Amino acid sequence: MQREAMIARVSNEGFEIIVIGGGATGLGIAVDAASRGYRTLLLEAHDFAQGTSSRSTKLVHGGVRYLEQLNFSLVSEALRERGLLYRNAPHLVHNLGFVVPRYRWWEGPFYGIGLKLYDALAGDLNLATSRGLDRDETVEAIPNVEQEDLVGGTMYHDAQFDDARMALHLAMTAADHGAVVLNHMEVVELLKAGDDGATCGVVARDAETGALHRVLAKVVINATGIFSDNVRWLDAPDATRMTSPSQGIHLVLDSSFLPGNNAIMVPHTDDGRVLFVIPWHGRMLVGTTDTPMAEAELEPRALPDEIDFVLRNASRYLTKDPGPEDVLSVFAGQRPLVKAEGTATKKISREHEVFVSNSGLVTVLGGKWTTYRKMAEDAMVDAIAVGGLPSRPCVTEELKLHGWIDRDDDGQPELEALRAYGSDQTQIEAIVAKEPGLADPLFEGLPYHGGHVVFAAREEMARTVEDVLSRRTRLLLLDARGAMRAAPRTAALLARELDRDTAWADAEVERFEALARGYLIDA
């Protein structure tokens, strides 16, 4: 994907569908629309997955906690989508074992029965069968678990992925099917036509040049997540607020706090949420919280109370207790929940909804990464009707995502962080072969090197140091201080590829360092 070529196509091509928003929902819709053969344009105001969609718990899951709420339909749908994604993106999605430690005898049958139901709801798409563990097996599976009064555990399976890399591969999948996808292109106006004021297009501003682009389409879809109301207000300034942001944070620690390949699921914390302690890209991820927020933020910050909450609850289940000084990075994201007055956010359903305004603007709200494909399919039902488009079947259930490789391909990298590049890894290797100096790591102990920066600029539409270090690679989330040390070299390589001067590179480093300090607890 090359941004300049995409911009040229905006001026020269006509479109049937415009998607606003380059997170999980918008990218999923772009893939669905383009793979059906509709002429599709996706516009993202910032970078792909810069908001909520790069700040998840990195799980593709059915939602174990919804079993307790008896929401079997939501769990069944999510488990089916988990299975499809595991099949269609083996380079990005893998099986992960979760252990629920038990400290009371009755928890064995309670969790055992519930997780057998979880298996049954997954049906033929189940990843592996849940089972009970005795005390020794539990300690072997999760060695740092708190052993005082430990009775045993229950193991079940869900899937894990790299969310930002998934978003990029969705963007590339859409492009592979003919879509135009653009980041750093903000929609600033909705165009209307006819006596009824039907939405017929957008005006978008290029963040790099300030140039305005007027683009027409049969239908416009608002898939901007926590910022959905902002687009709805472009359509109807008096529209009622429909989204209710809820913040969740994650702390990143080194792997000594969770040796091995399995995760821990804590079923009940202080506020009634589950807590996950998860191995990811050679680090340990622990979260999350559920804090109602008054306003949506692109770059939210973890609150001191949230950090204390995660550390306190994690320490109850770990022998080696983490403290603030152990945190390598802390990141926050906000969920786009459908507004429900007077309802605690942890109890608001994560199911998605599709709305069509009087002008024909289609808005998708709610949902989660796991069900992005089904959300897109549902949104397209309304989009096809509103746009008067010819009916064509959805093909995404069987669609392999860009970069697909066989799950058992021995030629692929063993490291999860590099395997997430899929078949594109060969292009990165070719870049490094031509310029061996690029093989030097960006930061010791993590697998990313200069070749990944060059590839990000040439093929993945990376335009800033943040784009590279936060979402093309995951260095900012894995080690914020390490990312700051990698910023000058990253900026220099990016400036070379984008034909920028040293002043631009220096400004990028300064901007990124200011951002990265917000990922440190002592910031």
Side-chain angles (χ1 to χ4, degrees):
M1 298 189 303
Q2 296 175 338
R3 192 169 185 273
E4 291 78 6
M6 292 286 188
I7 290 176
R9 290 180 60 191
V10 170
S11 302
N12 297 323
E13 298 182 13
F15 298 96
E16 293 169 299
I17 295 174
I18 295 175
V19 182
I20 308 173
T25 306
L27 290 165
I29 293 169
V31 169
D32 188 307
S35 63
R36 297 192 200 207
Y38 299 118
R39 299 188 307 278
T40 304
L41 169 65
L42 178 140
L43 301 171
E44 163 56 44
H46 305 284
D47 186 29
F48 303 120
Q50 185 165 341
T52 304
S53 296
S54 62
R55 302 160 188 269
S56 74
T57 313
K58 322 306 179 193
L59 298 180
V60 180
H61 64 122
V64 169
R65 73 187 185 94
Y66 299 121
L67 288 178
E68 190 173 347
Q69 299 175 11
L70 305 181
N71 195 338
F72 301 131
S73 62
L74 177 60
V75 175
S76 295
E77 177 181 271
L79 287 172
R80 183 172 187 277
E81 293 301 316
R82 180 194 71 178
L84 295 177
L85 195 48
Y86 182 80
R87 184 174 68 195
N88 293 331
H91 53 309
L92 293 160
V93 181
H94 66 270
N95 184 0
L96 180 64
F98 289 77
V99 176
V100 185
R102 295 186 283 108
Y103 294 90
R104 299 175 181 82
W105 69 267
W106 54 265
E107 292 175 330
F110 180 79
Y111 295 125
I113 293 170
L115 290 168
K116 287 300 180 186
L117 176 59
Y118 198 62
D119 292 344
L121 290 172
D124 293 340
L125 292 173
N126 198 28
L127 302 181
T129 304
S130 62
R131 63 189 181 93
L133 304 176
D134 62 26
R135 189 181 190 281
D136 291 342
E137 290 172 324
T138 302
V139 173
E140 182 179 1
I142 43 175
N144 191 36
V145 68
E146 177 57 62
Q147 297 183 30
E148 185 176 353
D149 297 326
L150 180 68
V151 176
T154 305
M155 175 175 277
Y156 73 98
H157 294 259
D158 259 321
Q160 185 178 46
F161 78 137
D162 185 317
D163 49 9
R165 295 286 331 157
M166 175 70 75
L168 288 167
H169 283 252
L170 287 174
M172 290 188 280
T173 302
D176 290 344
H177 286 82
V180 174
V181 294
L182 279 165
N183 57 355
H184 302 288
M185 187 72 76
E186 181 183 8
V187 170
V188 294
E189 182 183 346
L190 296 179
L191 299 175
K192 303 294 182 73
D195 294 336
D196 58 353
T199 297
C200 65
V202 304
V203 176
R205 179 189 295 119
D206 188 336
E208 292 187 353
T209 66
L212 294 175
H213 299 267
R214 180 184 175 93
V215 194
L216 300 178
K218 300 290 187 181
V219 61
V220 176
I221 304 175
N222 172 19
T224 52
I226 57 174
F227 300 108
S228 294
D229 286 331
N230 293 358
V231 176
R232 293 178 58 249
W233 290 327
L234 290 178
D235 178 45
D238 59 348
T240 303
R241 181 185 293 272
M242 296 184 71
T243 55
S244 179
S246 169
Q247 180 162 296
I249 75 157
H250 296 82
L251 307 182
V252 180
L253 306 149
D254 72 55
S255 59
S256 65
F257 289 92
L258 189 66
N261 299 317
N262 297 308
I264 300 173
M265 194 275 274
V266 177
H268 292 288
T269 58
D270 293 350
D271 72 346
R273 281 189 62 83
V274 300
L275 187 80
F276 292 106
V277 185
I278 302 169
W280 186 66
H281 288 354
R283 296 286 195 261
M284 187 198 91
L285 199 69
V286 55
T288 181
T289 54
D290 201 326
T291 307
M293 306 300 288
E295 298 292 337
E297 298 175 88
L298 180 66
E299 191 60 53
R301 290 285 180 256
L303 304 174
D305 287 349
E306 292 181 298
I307 294 170
D308 291 344
F309 169 87
V310 171
L311 289 173
R312 181 174 67 252
N313 281 277
S315 295
R316 292 175 181 171
Y317 290 84
L318 299 175
T319 299
K320 180 183 178 181
D321 295 342
E325 68 281 0
D326 299 308
V327 177
L328 299 173
S329 186
V330 53
F331 62 94
Q334 294 181 351
R335 308 172 188 89
L337 305 183
V338 181
K339 190 172 179 63
E341 295 290 350
T343 302
T345 58
K346 64 178 176 291
K347 295 181 180 178
I348 297 176
S349 172
R350 268 53 174 175
E351 291 179 278
H352 62 275
E353 298 186 44
V354 182
F355 302 90
V356 180
S357 75
N358 292 334
S359 77
L361 175 70
V362 178
T363 296
V364 191
L365 295 173
K368 59 181 182 178
W369 250 119
T370 303
T371 55
Y372 87 90
R373 191 209 65 82
K374 185 64 168 63
M375 292 169 65
E377 184 178 357
D378 290 348
M380 285 299 296
V381 172
D382 287 296
I384 290 169
V386 169
L389 301 175
S391 180
R392 296 170 185 162
C394 176
V395 299
T396 54
E397 284 194 12
E398 304 293 334
L399 186 67
K400 294 178 179 178
L401 297 191
H402 178 96
W404 190 95
I405 53 173
D406 190 284
R407 191 172 299 280
D408 299 320
D409 186 350
D410 292 334
Q412 289 299 313
E414 293 183 8
L415 291 172
E416 172 197 343
L418 296 187
R419 185 177 173 85
Y421 283 85
S423 61
D424 287 341
Q425 182 67 22
T426 57
Q427 293 187 56
I428 298 170
E429 292 168 357
I431 289 170
V432 173
K434 291 182 179 179
E435 192 176 346
L438 292 174
D440 294 338
L442 295 177
F443 179 69
E444 291 295 336
L446 290 172
Y448 305 113
H449 52 63
H452 294 104
V453 180
V454 172
F455 181 75
R458 293 179 185 176
E459 304 295 339
E460 296 182 329
M461 249 183 245
R463 311 299 290 184
T464 69
V465 169
E466 180 191 349
D467 290 352
V468 174
L469 295 182
S470 182
R471 291 171 294 278
R472 304 307 183 278
T473 71
R474 309 315 308 275
L475 189 49
L476 177 60
L477 271 62
L478 295 171
D479 193 315
R481 290 183 180 84
M484 292 169 72
R485 288 196 283 274
R489 181 172 174 227
T490 301
L493 287 171
L494 202 55
R496 185 190 76 177
E497 292 298 317
L498 301 180
D499 194 24
R500 306 288 197 261
D501 58 21
T502 55
W504 178 90
D506 291 343
E508 273 294 295
V509 171
E510 185 176 351
R511 189 180 73 84
F512 180 78
E513 289 178 345
L515 172 80
R517 282 192 286 271
Y519 287 67
L520 300 172
I521 284 183
D522 58 356

PDB file of all heavy atoms in Angstrom, residues 64-65 98-101 111 115 156 263-268 274-277 317:
ATOM      1  N   VAL A  64     -15.886 -15.489  28.260  1.00  0.00           N
ATOM      2  CA  VAL A  64     -16.269 -16.425  29.321  1.00  0.00           C
ATOM      3  C   VAL A  64     -17.224 -15.778  30.316  1.00  0.00           C
ATOM      4  O   VAL A  64     -18.190 -16.396  30.775  1.00  0.00           O
ATOM      5  CB  VAL A  64     -15.005 -16.950  30.045  1.00  0.00           C
ATOM      6  CG1 VAL A  64     -15.395 -17.710  31.306  1.00  0.00           C
ATOM      7  CG2 VAL A  64     -14.186 -17.840  29.126  1.00  0.00           C
ATOM      8  N   ARG A  65     -16.995 -14.505  30.633  1.00  0.00           N
ATOM      9  CA  ARG A  65     -17.809 -13.874  31.677  1.00  0.00           C
ATOM     10  C   ARG A  65     -19.267 -13.696  31.270  1.00  0.00           C
ATOM     11  O   ARG A  65     -20.131 -13.529  32.121  1.00  0.00           O
ATOM     12  CB  ARG A  65     -17.205 -12.550  32.113  1.00  0.00           C
ATOM     13  CG  ARG A  65     -17.327 -11.395  31.149  1.00  0.00           C
ATOM     14  CD  ARG A  65     -16.527 -10.205  31.675  1.00  0.00           C
ATOM     15  NE  ARG A  65     -16.680  -9.005  30.871  1.00  0.00           N
ATOM     16  CZ  ARG A  65     -17.567  -8.059  31.114  1.00  0.00           C
ATOM     17  NH1 ARG A  65     -18.417  -8.198  32.117  1.00  0.00           N
ATOM     18  NH2 ARG A  65     -17.628  -6.987  30.361  1.00  0.00           N
ATOM     19  N   PHE A  98      -5.565 -20.966  28.972  1.00  0.00           N
ATOM     20  CA  PHE A  98      -5.870 -20.129  30.141  1.00  0.00           C
ATOM     21  C   PHE A  98      -6.133 -21.031  31.342  1.00  0.00           C
ATOM     22  O   PHE A  98      -6.872 -22.017  31.229  1.00  0.00           O
ATOM     23  CB  PHE A  98      -7.114 -19.273  29.891  1.00  0.00           C
ATOM     24  CG  PHE A  98      -6.910 -18.162  28.910  1.00  0.00           C
ATOM     25  CD1 PHE A  98      -6.864 -18.421  27.550  1.00  0.00           C
ATOM     26  CD2 PHE A  98      -6.755 -16.858  29.349  1.00  0.00           C
ATOM     27  CE1 PHE A  98      -6.676 -17.402  26.642  1.00  0.00           C
ATOM     28  CE2 PHE A  98      -6.559 -15.831  28.445  1.00  0.00           C
ATOM     29  CZ  PHE A  98      -6.518 -16.097  27.088  1.00  0.00           C
ATOM     30  N   VAL A  99      -5.571 -20.662  32.472  1.00  0.00           N
ATOM     31  CA  VAL A  99      -5.802 -21.415  33.700  1.00  0.00           C
ATOM     32  C   VAL A  99      -6.554 -20.528  34.694  1.00  0.00           C
ATOM     33  O   VAL A  99      -6.155 -19.386  34.956  1.00  0.00           O
ATOM     34  CB  VAL A  99      -4.481 -21.898  34.322  1.00  0.00           C
ATOM     35  CG1 VAL A  99      -4.748 -22.603  35.655  1.00  0.00           C
ATOM     36  CG2 VAL A  99      -3.744 -22.825  33.364  1.00  0.00           C
ATOM     37  N   VAL A 100      -7.648 -21.070  35.214  1.00  0.00           N
ATOM     38  CA  VAL A 100      -8.380 -20.417  36.304  1.00  0.00           C
ATOM     39  C   VAL A 100      -7.937 -21.112  37.592  1.00  0.00           C
ATOM     40  O   VAL A 100      -8.323 -22.261  37.838  1.00  0.00           O
ATOM     41  CB  VAL A 100      -9.903 -20.555  36.141  1.00  0.00           C
ATOM     42  CG1 VAL A 100     -10.626 -19.769  37.232  1.00  0.00           C
ATOM     43  CG2 VAL A 100     -10.346 -20.101  34.758  1.00  0.00           C
ATOM     44  N   PRO A 101      -7.077 -20.480  38.411  1.00  0.00           N
ATOM     45  CA  PRO A 101      -6.637 -21.142  39.649  1.00  0.00           C
ATOM     46  C   PRO A 101      -7.789 -21.263  40.642  1.00  0.00           C
ATOM     47  O   PRO A 101      -8.651 -20.380  40.726  1.00  0.00           O
ATOM     48  CB  PRO A 101      -5.541 -20.216  40.178  1.00  0.00           C
ATOM     49  CG  PRO A 101      -5.801 -18.897  39.546  1.00  0.00           C
ATOM     50  CD  PRO A 101      -6.491 -19.150  38.243  1.00  0.00           C
ATOM     51  N   TYR A 111     -16.511 -23.982  37.776  1.00  0.00           N
ATOM     52  CA  TYR A 111     -15.830 -23.545  36.566  1.00  0.00           C
ATOM     53  C   TYR A 111     -15.755 -24.670  35.543  1.00  0.00           C
ATOM     54  O   TYR A 111     -15.811 -24.421  34.327  1.00  0.00           O
ATOM     55  CB  TYR A 111     -14.424 -23.037  36.894  1.00  0.00           C
ATOM     56  CG  TYR A 111     -14.444 -21.787  37.746  1.00  0.00           C
ATOM     57  CD1 TYR A 111     -13.757 -21.725  38.956  1.00  0.00           C
ATOM     58  CD2 TYR A 111     -15.178 -20.670  37.355  1.00  0.00           C
ATOM     59  CE1 TYR A 111     -13.791 -20.584  39.745  1.00  0.00           C
ATOM     60  CE2 TYR A 111     -15.221 -19.522  38.140  1.00  0.00           C
ATOM     61  CZ  TYR A 111     -14.527 -19.496  39.328  1.00  0.00           C
ATOM     62  OH  TYR A 111     -14.574 -18.369  40.121  1.00  0.00           O
ATOM     63  N   LEU A 115     -17.069 -24.131  31.739  1.00  0.00           N
ATOM     64  CA  LEU A 115     -16.142 -24.159  30.616  1.00  0.00           C
ATOM     65  C   LEU A 115     -16.433 -25.326  29.670  1.00  0.00           C
ATOM     66  O   LEU A 115     -16.097 -25.259  28.482  1.00  0.00           O
ATOM     67  CB  LEU A 115     -14.705 -24.193  31.132  1.00  0.00           C
ATOM     68  CG  LEU A 115     -14.296 -22.856  31.793  1.00  0.00           C
ATOM     69  CD1 LEU A 115     -12.995 -22.984  32.561  1.00  0.00           C
ATOM     70  CD2 LEU A 115     -14.190 -21.758  30.744  1.00  0.00           C
ATOM     71  N   TYR A 156      -8.785 -23.824  30.063  1.00  0.00           N
ATOM     72  CA  TYR A 156      -9.578 -23.735  28.841  1.00  0.00           C
ATOM     73  C   TYR A 156      -8.760 -23.005  27.794  1.00  0.00           C
ATOM     74  O   TYR A 156      -7.628 -22.561  28.064  1.00  0.00           O
ATOM     75  CB  TYR A 156     -10.913 -23.025  29.107  1.00  0.00           C
ATOM     76  CG  TYR A 156     -10.809 -21.528  29.325  1.00  0.00           C
ATOM     77  CD1 TYR A 156     -11.060 -20.633  28.287  1.00  0.00           C
ATOM     78  CD2 TYR A 156     -10.460 -21.008  30.569  1.00  0.00           C
ATOM     79  CE1 TYR A 156     -10.964 -19.256  28.490  1.00  0.00           C
ATOM     80  CE2 TYR A 156     -10.365 -19.642  30.778  1.00  0.00           C
ATOM     81  CZ  TYR A 156     -10.616 -18.766  29.737  1.00  0.00           C
ATOM     82  OH  TYR A 156     -10.512 -17.427  29.925  1.00  0.00           O
ATOM     83  N   ALA A 263      -1.757 -18.516  30.109  1.00  0.00           N
ATOM     84  CA  ALA A 263      -2.271 -17.298  30.723  1.00  0.00           C
ATOM     85  C   ALA A 263      -3.060 -17.641  31.984  1.00  0.00           C
ATOM     86  O   ALA A 263      -3.446 -18.796  32.210  1.00  0.00           O
ATOM     87  CB  ALA A 263      -3.165 -16.555  29.736  1.00  0.00           C
ATOM     88  N   ILE A 264      -3.316 -16.620  32.790  1.00  0.00           N
ATOM     89  CA  ILE A 264      -4.156 -16.759  33.979  1.00  0.00           C
ATOM     90  C   ILE A 264      -5.424 -15.941  33.766  1.00  0.00           C
ATOM     91  O   ILE A 264      -5.358 -14.795  33.313  1.00  0.00           O
ATOM     92  CB  ILE A 264      -3.433 -16.268  35.247  1.00  0.00           C
ATOM     93  CG1 ILE A 264      -2.148 -17.062  35.485  1.00  0.00           C
ATOM     94  CG2 ILE A 264      -4.346 -16.382  36.468  1.00  0.00           C
ATOM     95  CD1 ILE A 264      -1.299 -16.528  36.630  1.00  0.00           C
ATOM     96  N   MET A 265      -6.562 -16.536  34.096  1.00  0.00           N
ATOM     97  CA  MET A 265      -7.813 -15.780  34.091  1.00  0.00           C
ATOM     98  C   MET A 265      -8.335 -15.730  35.514  1.00  0.00           C
ATOM     99  O   MET A 265      -8.601 -16.766  36.129  1.00  0.00           O
ATOM    100  CB  MET A 265      -8.852 -16.424  33.167  1.00  0.00           C
ATOM    101  CG  MET A 265     -10.036 -15.498  32.853  1.00  0.00           C
ATOM    102  SD  MET A 265     -11.344 -15.532  34.081  1.00  0.00           S
ATOM    103  CE  MET A 265     -12.316 -16.922  33.490  1.00  0.00           C
ATOM    104  N   VAL A 266      -8.426 -14.507  36.040  1.00  0.00           N
ATOM    105  CA  VAL A 266      -8.976 -14.285  37.384  1.00  0.00           C
ATOM    106  C   VAL A 266     -10.450 -13.939  37.201  1.00  0.00           C
ATOM    107  O   VAL A 266     -10.775 -12.901  36.638  1.00  0.00           O
ATOM    108  CB  VAL A 266      -8.233 -13.144  38.104  1.00  0.00           C
ATOM    109  CG1 VAL A 266      -8.860 -12.872  39.457  1.00  0.00           C
ATOM    110  CG2 VAL A 266      -6.745 -13.484  38.241  1.00  0.00           C
ATOM    111  N   PRO A 267     -11.368 -14.796  37.667  1.00  0.00           N
ATOM    112  CA  PRO A 267     -12.780 -14.610  37.331  1.00  0.00           C
ATOM    113  C   PRO A 267     -13.477 -13.454  38.027  1.00  0.00           C
ATOM    114  O   PRO A 267     -14.463 -12.929  37.524  1.00  0.00           O
ATOM    115  CB  PRO A 267     -13.413 -15.939  37.724  1.00  0.00           C
ATOM    116  CG  PRO A 267     -12.501 -16.512  38.755  1.00  0.00           C
ATOM    117  CD  PRO A 267     -11.119 -16.047  38.399  1.00  0.00           C
ATOM    118  N   HIS A 268     -12.984 -13.040  39.196  1.00  0.00           N
ATOM    119  CA  HIS A 268     -13.662 -11.959  39.921  1.00  0.00           C
ATOM    120  C   HIS A 268     -12.633 -11.051  40.594  1.00  0.00           C
ATOM    121  O   HIS A 268     -11.857 -11.495  41.425  1.00  0.00           O
ATOM    122  CB  HIS A 268     -14.619 -12.521  40.972  1.00  0.00           C
ATOM    123  CG  HIS A 268     -15.799 -13.219  40.385  1.00  0.00           C
ATOM    124  ND1 HIS A 268     -16.830 -12.546  39.760  1.00  0.00           N
ATOM    125  CD2 HIS A 268     -16.098 -14.540  40.308  1.00  0.00           C
ATOM    126  CE1 HIS A 268     -17.721 -13.424  39.331  1.00  0.00           C
ATOM    127  NE2 HIS A 268     -17.306 -14.636  39.646  1.00  0.00           N
ATOM    128  N   VAL A 274     -13.397  -9.662  35.117  1.00  0.00           N
ATOM    129  CA  VAL A 274     -12.320 -10.638  35.085  1.00  0.00           C
ATOM    130  C   VAL A 274     -11.006  -9.893  34.882  1.00  0.00           C
ATOM    131  O   VAL A 274     -10.975  -8.763  34.400  1.00  0.00           O
ATOM    132  CB  VAL A 274     -12.527 -11.667  33.947  1.00  0.00           C
ATOM    133  CG1 VAL A 274     -13.834 -12.419  34.141  1.00  0.00           C
ATOM    134  CG2 VAL A 274     -12.489 -10.994  32.584  1.00  0.00           C
ATOM    135  N   LEU A 275      -9.907 -10.525  35.286  1.00  0.00           N
ATOM    136  CA  LEU A 275      -8.567  -9.988  35.064  1.00  0.00           C
ATOM    137  C   LEU A 275      -7.764 -11.032  34.314  1.00  0.00           C
ATOM    138  O   LEU A 275      -7.817 -12.224  34.636  1.00  0.00           O
ATOM    139  CB  LEU A 275      -7.892  -9.670  36.399  1.00  0.00           C
ATOM    140  CG  LEU A 275      -6.547  -8.948  36.301  1.00  0.00           C
ATOM    141  CD1 LEU A 275      -6.773  -7.457  36.056  1.00  0.00           C
ATOM    142  CD2 LEU A 275      -5.728  -9.139  37.582  1.00  0.00           C
ATOM    143  N   PHE A 276      -7.048 -10.600  33.284  1.00  0.00           N
ATOM    144  CA  PHE A 276      -6.213 -11.505  32.505  1.00  0.00           C
ATOM    145  C   PHE A 276      -4.743 -11.198  32.749  1.00  0.00           C
ATOM    146  O   PHE A 276      -4.327 -10.034  32.769  1.00  0.00           O
ATOM    147  CB  PHE A 276      -6.508 -11.356  31.006  1.00  0.00           C
ATOM    148  CG  PHE A 276      -7.869 -11.848  30.604  1.00  0.00           C
ATOM    149  CD1 PHE A 276      -8.879 -10.957  30.299  1.00  0.00           C
ATOM    150  CD2 PHE A 276      -8.144 -13.206  30.529  1.00  0.00           C
ATOM    151  CE1 PHE A 276     -10.138 -11.403  29.914  1.00  0.00           C
ATOM    152  CE2 PHE A 276      -9.397 -13.667  30.156  1.00  0.00           C
ATOM    153  CZ  PHE A 276     -10.394 -12.764  29.849  1.00  0.00           C
ATOM    154  N   VAL A 277      -3.963 -12.255  32.933  1.00  0.00           N
ATOM    155  CA  VAL A 277      -2.502 -12.169  33.000  1.00  0.00           C
ATOM    156  C   VAL A 277      -2.005 -13.039  31.851  1.00  0.00           C
ATOM    157  O   VAL A 277      -2.178 -14.255  31.873  1.00  0.00           O
ATOM    158  CB  VAL A 277      -1.968 -12.670  34.354  1.00  0.00           C
ATOM    159  CG1 VAL A 277      -0.468 -12.467  34.445  1.00  0.00           C
ATOM    160  CG2 VAL A 277      -2.681 -11.976  35.515  1.00  0.00           C
ATOM    161  N   TYR A 317      -2.760 -13.200  42.982  1.00  0.00           N
ATOM    162  CA  TYR A 317      -2.676 -14.488  42.303  1.00  0.00           C
ATOM    163  C   TYR A 317      -1.268 -14.830  41.846  1.00  0.00           C
ATOM    164  O   TYR A 317      -1.061 -15.840  41.188  1.00  0.00           O
ATOM    165  CB  TYR A 317      -3.625 -14.492  41.092  1.00  0.00           C
ATOM    166  CG  TYR A 317      -5.082 -14.513  41.508  1.00  0.00           C
ATOM    167  CD1 TYR A 317      -5.747 -13.335  41.827  1.00  0.00           C
ATOM    168  CD2 TYR A 317      -5.775 -15.717  41.627  1.00  0.00           C
ATOM    169  CE1 TYR A 317      -7.082 -13.357  42.226  1.00  0.00           C
ATOM    170  CE2 TYR A 317      -7.099 -15.747  42.033  1.00  0.00           C
ATOM    171  CZ  TYR A 317      -7.744 -14.558  42.334  1.00  0.00           C
ATOM    172  OH  TYR A 317      -9.059 -14.587  42.740  1.00  0.00           O
TER     173      TYR A 317
END
